[in-house]
Amino acid sequence: MPVAASAIYFLNLRGDVLINRLYRDDVGGNMVDAFRMHIMQTKELGTCPVRQIGGCSFFYMRISNVYVVIVVSSNANVACAFKFVVEAVSMFKSYFGGAFDEDAIRNNFVLIYELLDEIMDFGYPQNLSPEILKLYITQEGVRSPFSSKASDKPIPNATLQVTGAVGWRREGLVYKKNEVFLDIVESVNLLMSSKGSVLRCDVTGKILMKCFLSGMPDLKLGLNDKIGLEKESQMKSRPAKSGKTIELDDVTFHQCVNLTRFNSEKTVSFVPPDGEFELMKYRITEGVNLPFRVLPTIKELGRTRMEVNVKVKSVFGAKMFALGVVVKIPVPKQTAKTSFQVTSGRAKYNAAIDCLVWKIRKFPGQTEPTLSAEVELISTMAEKKSWTKPPIQMEFQVPMFTASGLRVRFLKVWEKRGYNTVEWVRYITKAGSYEIRS
Amino acid sequence: MAPPAQSQRSPSPSQPSGKSEVSDLKLQLRQLAGSRAPGVDDSKRELFKKVISYMTIGIDVSSLFGEMVMCSATSDIVLKKMCYLYVGNYAKVNPDLALLTINFLQRDCRDEDPMIRGLALRSLCSLRVANLVEYLVGPLGSGLKDSNSYVRMVAVMGVLKLYHISASTCIDADFPSILKHLMLHDSDTQVVANCLSALQEIWSAEASTSEEASREREALISKPFIYYLLNRIKEFCEWAQCLVLELVTKYVPSDSSEIFDIMNLLEDRLQHANGAVVLATIRVFLQLTLSMTDVHQQVYERIKAPLLTLVSSGSPEQSYAVLSHLHLLVMRAPYVFSSDYKHFYCQYNEPSYVKRLKLEMLTAVANESNTYEIVTELCEYAANVDIPIARESIRAVGKIALQQYDVNAIVDRLLQFLEMEKDYVTAEALVLVKDLLRKYPQWSHDCIAVVGNISSKNVQEPKAKAALIWMLGEYSQDMQDAPYVLESLVENWDEEHSAEVRLHLLTAMMKCFFKRPPETQSALGAALAAGIADFHQDVHDRALFYYRILRYNVSVAERVVNPPKQAVSVFADTQSSEIKDRIFDEFNSLSVLYQKPSYMFTDKEHRGPLEFADELGNLSIGEAANNVVPTQMVEENDKDLLLTTSEKEETKGSRNNGSAYSVPYDGSSTSVFASQTQIESAVSNPTLAGHSPQASFAIDDLLGLGIPAAPAVLSPPQLKLNTKAALDPSTFQQKWRQLPVALSQEISVSPQGVAALTAPQALLRHMQSHSIHCIASGGQSPNFKFFFFAQKFEESSNYLVECVINTSSAKAQVKIKADDQNTSQDFSTLFESALSKFGTS
């Protein structure tokens, strides 16, 4: 059996139960005490998200200031359980208006009970699709923007439509203006050695869509990925157009995508759910365009002084710019005084995280600002040795840029009524874990 | 749903005390109950919401039951839903009140709105009150036939709930066969999926007693049914797909073309967004191709990309769940993943549980071509702030070195570690250098030069200290000051707390003595004297042994202590391959995360008794004089039980040494020395060590506590039992699994017996006087559970008994298993007579 959860608990950071649902009688009500005693109040917390105590297994996740705990008494499917929690939380978020924390839970007890009863019955996950749940939930949480567009009140006989071949979409949707928004969001993960060689680099991307379309539209998406293009040129028996093609290492799709057609024709075709959803996820390891290069030189001048020089080079087009660039340069704990010189942005010393934090709000392409800092240390014999030089970390967002080079070639909407649609496509690249060892 | 326990929350001043608010609510509800004024529903809603939030934060609002039920006579679905919630919460503790709600729930089950029908039915089934089951059958029956799929979906789960409340009612109403029909014919996939979950549970539970049920269970994995599900798999929701895939793994295809058909059909599931579906598909692929070696390899190649994607997406917890599976596969087929080693590099901010798995994988995939990069990377982690991870990575470097790739460079790195001058790095590196030298004695010169510079004062950890001492002893001829370092260690004998270190010191002194006698002689004498006076049994024994063998013949002693050594080529693996295969069979479950097969942590017979045993250990320490245990105290002990489980794990290692000798007597009474007994029992019982070590120790303790000098007792003539029977726990568990139930019966317990059974111990002592020994016990009023065993006099035939006593019904459920089935009836009589005397003597 995939999950057969016995109970689900929501605890705050002190370990108080905010709300819970016991699905089965096979665990005692005091099992949550065991969780509190053996995990929350010990060093165990955070050492492993799955723990067994007294015959029950606990799967727990921390989301903002709430612990979500699933208790099972059998040999359950962990991946399924965690996925369930993640899905459930994102659904709660959409009902609470974006936030999932202690306060949101306290304000929405009835709604949470309702949802928990619908998404899981006797420990088995049921339907979590927000479109369908909307029909059963009577409480008004703070609704997410997309669901407020359709009719707010459930149609009395809506249950009939719950489970057709297209379980994720309701029939009879009507929009005055038919619009599709498509976002390609990529995050770049980088691990660079102190000598400047790339140890590991990959891009995980997702395509997010927001559809406000009438009826039952059929969508078709074309990307400049290698397999898709080759297949296409093969089928049209003409050579592939020149230009950059992208090799995707692995792709996963939302359940609405017709996978049979993807495998035979290599096109992404689907009947989208109404509103917001994640169409696909992909991963790329070859040919990644790194948006930034970081060149650090950190010199230790004697026991009490350090000289830090960091140059950050933006290697994307000169017309583009990055937003919210933050460079965190770790310094030893016993840092006493710092002084900076930067050619762009602002820098300061943050003692809470033992880092020099350099922020540049708007960072144009093809530029290379520098930071030079002098750090004075309190001289202590013992701690000097234990400074382990954590890596320099970077945060950024680069709009209209994809590290993978992926582009949308076309997005076609077909519906039997033949209305016109407006399509919006955006690209953005963010830093995932962007680490440079110094 | 049970009411939230009050005790969990300390009343804080900001929280309402409850009393006045509740009576206030009661009044308001009563006013609204009869009212038909416009807008009354809205104010009711507000009040209901308040009631529910009070209920959630732990205020007892059960006194409002009547008012709530009265107010819910409405067509407003929002109100109804809240009322159902309330009723579901309190019905279990107030069965009488629950009866009040039956009426309106039953009426709602016939409502014209399918949503209300479904909700009412779900609430009705969730009341979980045993004496109300008769009211469930009707609504469930019509629910299963409902025209609306939502109602059917709820009804199917309702059947399962009914089964758990009263299995016989469920079977008598013939619900399983209705479910089977629905499963095969319903158009709604969620209904089908729920039927499948329910039937799997029901038939598995029934299979042990009913032939038909086990046949039905088999039918679930028959070809037509599996194909029926596979062909519809895309229509199922993601969770139901997991369920179906799980079932498919149990199916055995008839030939290879069938295997390929299934794999082709499921290929696209690997691209599903839900990681659980992907993992389930991977499991199907792996299981199907298990017997086809080359295809199995291709499967590894195929699933690599999806797995790596799953690892790098989602929350750390999710990626941990996937990573554990990847870890399992990497361990099985490291060469498949050797080019992907960069995926296992750790990120700075990753949680340590993820890093640990990655380190192990990096170790496993190392080969000729990537060793350099991997070791370089691992050395980066040695400077990690997270000390446990730093240690792990040093160990990983050592493991790679032991795998023989590019040892030269690695030894240099290890020696650099020794020079880093961080306590834990030095400690780990020392242990590794020791292992390396055991495998590659040719490196001794390089290593010794560095090791010689390490001051033993800087090494505190027992393991590292032991390693250093071992090297001092082994290479004393090459290390100039070895005898003097050892001598100073001997001088501080009393300050050395670890027995392991003292043992090594004795041996090292001996080795050193044979290599450099004049410099060592006096120190050796001091060491032997200190060792013989040592309070630790092992140290004492070894010192005495060395002393005697030296007196007997010095050259023999040298042969014993300093034999020519062969380099160790393979270090013992910690986990048997059989266990690894079992884990692999249970892919996509907790087994993989815990890295042990499920029977080790779910089987009641495995785990249950052990915990009871532990609890018993706690109980018997403080409560010898305390005959009457009030219920509250039992509850506290219950918490103790929870406490000890984790402590037990931590102390597992250290108890390992001690408990071997704490067993007062073991199976073989022929041997005189305690240590010999231990060896013999270990030999006769090779599973003991690898099986579940923590298990046996707990019970060893129990045996130690639980067996006072058993007085000789008159046994009934027909069957004589051995008064000093002994059986070690793992044999018990093994036998219990293997043997069929010879007899199963219900025995009445006399009222006196019930009165005397305040705690499990009372019965233990009694049964012991009848030569029936307890191996584990536990529970609290009114349910107690015992595992007994007895041995036939002068024969090794065993009887195993599981006995569950319910004091409120004064009945004992007894299951007997026996080596010799013919005498089980006699034994049962004996057992019954012994039990009936309980409380009267």
Side-chain angles (χ1 to χ4, degrees), chain A residues 82-146:
Chain A
F82 278 130
K83 179 73 183 168
F84 176 81
V85 174
V86 170
E87 294 272 297
V89 167
S90 79
M91 189 186 65
F92 286 141
K93 276 186 185 158
S94 77
Y95 273 96
F96 301 163
F100 179 84
D101 53 23
E102 197 176 336
D103 287 339
I105 290 179
R106 285 197 193 281
N107 294 333
N108 286 292
F109 284 145
V110 182
L111 174 64
I112 295 174
Y113 279 133
E114 269 198 63
L115 286 168
L116 286 179
D117 273 349
E118 290 298 339
I119 60 178
M120 193 171 254
D121 202 356
F122 209 51
Y124 290 106
Q126 306 284 310
N127 213 324
L128 258 78
S129 154
E131 263 309 290
I132 290 166
L133 277 174
K134 226 189 283 175
L135 308 172
Y136 296 105
I137 302 304
T138 56
Q139 292 293 323
E140 301 257 337
V142 187
R143 295 250 172 134
S144 77
F146 65 82

Side-chain angles (χ1 to χ4, degrees), chain B residues 779-799:
Chain B
Q780 48 178 278
S781 190
N783 282 308
F784 294 94
K785 190 172 187 178
F786 302 87
F787 284 92
F788 292 108
F789 69 93
Q791 240 162 30
K792 213 167 167 181
F793 189 58
E794 287 176 344
E795 270 181 74
S796 61
S797 171
N798 291 304
Y799 301 97

